[in-house]
Amino acid sequence: MDELLDLVNENDEVVGEVLKSKANSDPKLIHREVVVYIFDEKLRFLVQQRSWNKKVYPGIWAESAAGHVGKGEDIEVAAHRELQEEMGFDVPLKFIQKRLNKFENETHFSYCYLGKYTGEKISFQKEEIEQVKFVTEEEFSALYPERDKVIDEAISWIKEIWKRMRSS
């Protein structure tokens, strides 16, 4: 089922609406997405392996949870919704950064949130996710034997988050 999203300009101001299928295939149609990074007390990162049935990056290891922000939806509410849908639990989230991502097929603002795992039961969405696990920073890079520009950007962003967390 296609989702209706807010269409935004390069200043992240709502200028209309757009279907997710169109937004994900036209880089001129800017929309919003959320990304959630969950770490435990040992600074291990909760990663998910995307389903092999996904159209984009099937089987790739990715952030703890992510997804589109629906039309008129509060961005932080969307982050909590995605975490609950994909991992089956919710924790307090801290907004850490907004980034404009421009790719060949789409352009979107990523609203990035950080949360701390404290033993909640993980019940991941089996239709969307193959498996989940906690990884150390060293184990994280080994998950990506083949890389492209998008994967390299994701790896460097996660490593920047680890750096911030170690220094705080």
Side-chain angles (χ1 to χ4, degrees), residues 132-145:
V132 301
K133 63 182 174 180
F134 283 94
V135 296
T136 64
E137 190 170 354
E138 295 74 33
E139 294 166 333
F140 179 70
S141 289
L143 295 174
Y144 300 96

Side-chain angles (χ1 to χ4, degrees), residues 33 35 99-103 106-111 153:
E33 295 186 8
V35 180
R99 299 177 291 154
L100 180 61
N101 296 303
K102 295 182 179 188
F103 302 113
E106 73 170 312
T107 303
H108 62 264
F109 281 98
S110 286
Y111 285 79
E153 287 176 15

